């Protein structure tokens, strides 16, 4: 046993000495703009509106730091979620997409409206929620997308439904959780940026809660009988209260689509 | 057991080698980077990056990406316009790379770290940092090479 351990260590040493013989790794570049993340404290109980419901108002950044984390020095913790129960044809369709095709269908790349839940899932920028007891206003910095939902609200009658990028949203409170149920979503929107498309029968149910002053949590359930074998529910995503305002972010000069199309043509030529 | 192994190791290898073993094991056990969720990996080659020096001629501060235009001397010594794609104006502003900060280096020599486009266009890169004319090293894009010890969006 001891001989085996020594042998393993000797083998590891050979690999390590070989690695050590290479050029030493360069030190990290210290640059203005890199962010060393500091997690916000809970901040006490959440504020409440005049009607007693939790007030979700605030500028909310993805992650726990209350600020932009695009250039964070610590990778995001991966979300632990169940596999998405795609029907076989849908799984095959997504799998067959090249990386370039996937980018060309992603609303964050093409500057199309992000939809629901794309406003959460395909958007790395902050959100601003403005609430009154009768209104939920959701503004996002990404290409200045927005939606407004009355509280509470029922869906429009079926004969009045039409495809919309932000869909038709019904709203209600379940205790301290705001529930938003959206149907009639335009099929050009995606559920996630990984190619997860949806059908005209999709229903997205978002749940928003504010467990403490500094944190917002968002979960969504997708029901789509034409694409999924059963409903799928996301993990709770964490957002934290920022002290900055949203900034202007209009998409006015998108060169990426042309660049990706050139790449797509090269890929097709190589097939 | 641990003490015995450590003792035999120190007998066989110098302390330097022991440190190399530990570092080697850390390298071997480091998890792979997270999968991409952005256009960078599709459009640019994170394995084909270089420090590029030239004169900054223009800043296009727009979305979804800002751009820098830099005159870089080719092998014949002639200036050639090189385009660097940056992050969004949202990320740039919050990271200190405001339009006035970048624009102050127009007409002056800068160094830009850029990774080449995959679509065959020469002189087109994505940038991760710029050394401005005043010497400040400023983040302007994603850390696809891991040079800041930060997120890797390969």
């Amino acid at each position: 046993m001891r001989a085996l351990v020594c042998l393993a260590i000797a083998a590891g040493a050979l690999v390590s000495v070989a690695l050590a013989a290479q050029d030493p790794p360069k030190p990290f570049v210290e640059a203005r703009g890199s962010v060393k993340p500091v997690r916000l404290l809970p901040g006490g109980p959440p504020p409440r509106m005049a009607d007693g419901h939790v007030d979700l108002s605030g500028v909310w950044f993805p992650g726990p730091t209350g600020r932009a984390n695009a250039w964070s020095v610590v990778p995001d913790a991966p979300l632990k979620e169940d596999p998405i129960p795609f029907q076989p044809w849908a799984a095959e369709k997504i799998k067959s997409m090249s990386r370039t095709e996937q980018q060309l269908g992603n609303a964050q790349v093409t500057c199309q409206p992000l939809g629901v839940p794309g406003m959460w899932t395909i958007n790395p920028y902050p959100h601003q929620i403005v609430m009154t007891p009768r209104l939920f206003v959701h503004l996002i910095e990404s290409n200045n997308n927005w939606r407004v939902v009355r509280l509470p609200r029922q869906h429009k009658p079926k004969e009045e439904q039409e495809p919309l990028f932000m869909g038709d949203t019904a709203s209600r409170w379940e205790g301290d959780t705001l529930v938003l149920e959206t149907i009639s979503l335009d099929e050009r929107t995606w559920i996630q940026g990984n190619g997860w498309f949806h059908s005209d029968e999709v229903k997205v149910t978002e749940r928003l809660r504010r467990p403490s002053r500094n944190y917002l949590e968002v979960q969504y359930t997708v029901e789509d009988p034409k694409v999924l074998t059963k409903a799928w529910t996301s993990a709770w995503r964490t957002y934290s209260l920022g002290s900055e305002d949203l900034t202007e972010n209009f998409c006015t000069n998108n060169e990426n689509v042309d660049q990706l199309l050139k790449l797509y043509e090269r890929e097709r030529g190589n097939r | 057991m641990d003490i015995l192994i450590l003792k035999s190791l120190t007998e066989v290898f110098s302390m330097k080698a022991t440190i190399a073993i530990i570092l080697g094991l850390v390298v071997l056990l480091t998890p792979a980077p997270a999968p991409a969720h952005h256009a960078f990996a599709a459009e640019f080659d994170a394995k084909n990056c270089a420090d590029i020096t030239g004169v900054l001629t223009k800043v296009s501060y727009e979305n979804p990406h800002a751009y820098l235009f830099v005159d870089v001397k080719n092998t014949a010594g002639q200036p050639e316009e090189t385009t660097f794609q940056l992050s969004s104006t949202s990320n740039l502003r919050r990271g200190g790379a405001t339009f006035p900060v970048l624009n102050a280096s127009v007409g002056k020599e800068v160094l830009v770290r850029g990774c080449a486009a995959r679509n065959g266009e020469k002189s087109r890169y994505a940038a991760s940092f710029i050394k401005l004319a005043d010497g400040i090293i400023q983040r302007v894009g994603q850390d696809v090479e891991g040079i800041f010890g930060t997120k890797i969006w390969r």
Side-chain angles (χ1 to χ4, degrees), chain A residues 28-29 32 34 69 71-72 99 103 125 141 244 247-250 252-253 255-256 259 262-263 266, chain B residues 39 41-43 62-63 65 85 88 90 93-95 119 121 124 137-139 147-151:
Chain A
F28 293 136
V29 175
R32 185 170 66 189
S34 290
N69 68 349
W71 296 339
S72 171
R99 189 166 56 177
Q103 291 297 323
Y125 303 114
E141 196 169 284
E244 301 171 42
T247 181
E248 182 174 292
N249 186 328
F250 288 105
T252 49
N253 180 35
E255 297 186 11
N256 296 91
Q259 292 296 315
K262 285 178 192 170
L263 198 59
R266 281 166 65 95
Chain B
E43 279 190 76
E62 295 191 64
N63 287 304
H65 296 284
Q85 179 176 298
S88 65
S90 291
R93 278 195 196 99
R94 292 201 172 90
N119 66 9
E121 274 192 35
R124 187 177 184 87
I137 294 178
Q138 171 68 56
R139 280 290 292 272
I147 58 175
F148 305 100
T150 70
K151 287 182 177 181

Side-chain angles (χ1 to χ4, degrees), chain B residues 12-51:
Chain B
V12 176
F13 301 106
S14 67
M15 183 54 82
K16 201 172 173 182
T18 308
I19 291 167
I21 290 168
I22 294 164
L23 286 175
L25 289 173
V26 167
V27 167
L28 291 171
L29 295 173
T30 300
H37 71 184
H38 189 275
F40 183 95
E43 279 190 76
F44 299 96
D45 184 356
K47 305 271 188 199
N48 185 11
C49 310
D51 291 345

Side-chain angles (χ1 to χ4, degrees), chain A residues 19-229:
Chain A
L19 286 171
Q22 296 172 357
D23 291 337
K26 290 181 181 174
F28 293 136
V29 175
E30 288 291 333
R32 185 170 66 189
S34 290
V35 174
K36 294 184 172 68
V38 179
R39 176 181 281 270
L40 282 186
L41 295 170
R48 292 185 180 272
M49 299 185 287
D51 68 349
H53 284 122
V54 171
D55 187 350
L56 305 177
S57 298
V59 173
W60 298 102
F61 283 82
T65 64
R67 57 187 297 196
N69 68 349
W71 296 339
S72 171
V73 296
V74 175
D76 293 334
L79 290 171
K80 290 178 184 167
E81 293 179 324
D82 292 334
I84 302 158
F86 289 117
Q87 294 181 17
W89 73 271
E92 187 55 39
K93 182 177 174 181
I94 293 170
K95 193 180 167 189
S96 68
M97 294 169 74
S98 73
R99 189 166 56 177
T100 306
E101 288 171 315
Q102 207 169 74
Q103 291 297 323
L104 283 167
N106 185 325
Q108 187 61 252
V109 177
T110 59
C111 295
Q112 295 297 303
L114 293 170
V116 178
M119 285 176 83
W120 302 106
T121 61
I122 317 176
N123 165 32
Y125 303 114
H127 304 242
Q128 180 147 23
I129 293 174
V130 182
M131 283 188 85
T132 72
R134 293 285 169 262
L135 206 62
F136 171 82
V137 181
H138 186 186
L139 314 168
I140 63 170
E141 196 169 284
S142 186
N143 207 15
N144 295 30
N145 281 199
W146 58 269
R147 61 178 167 161
V148 177
V149 182
R150 282 188 288 112
L151 303 175
R153 182 180 185 272
Q154 302 293 315
H155 287 302
K156 283 182 188 173
K158 194 171 182 181
E159 61 273 16
E160 292 180 23
Q161 292 289 340
E162 59 179 323
L164 294 169
F165 282 104
M166 298 303 176
D168 179 77
T169 302
S171 64
R172 65 180 186 275
W173 285 98
E174 288 181 359
D176 280 343
T177 301
L178 178 64
V179 181
L180 304 172
E181 192 181 281
T182 300
I183 58 173
S184 298
L185 280 161
D186 191 302
E187 289 178 75
R188 286 172 289 183
T189 66
W190 281 358
I191 305 299
Q192 294 180 358
N194 58 4
W196 182 357
F197 61 92
H198 64 77
S199 76
D200 58 344
E201 291 187 20
V202 72
K203 182 171 89 175
V204 176
T205 304
E206 301 158 86
R207 291 175 189 81
L208 284 71
R209 64 188 187 192
R210 188 174 186 173
S212 66
R213 180 185 176 277
N214 289 343
Y215 285 92
L216 175 75
E217 294 178 336
V218 179
Q219 180 198 60
Y220 62 98
T221 296
V222 182
E223 296 165 79
D224 193 348
K226 289 183 177 175
V227 174
L228 303 180
T229 59

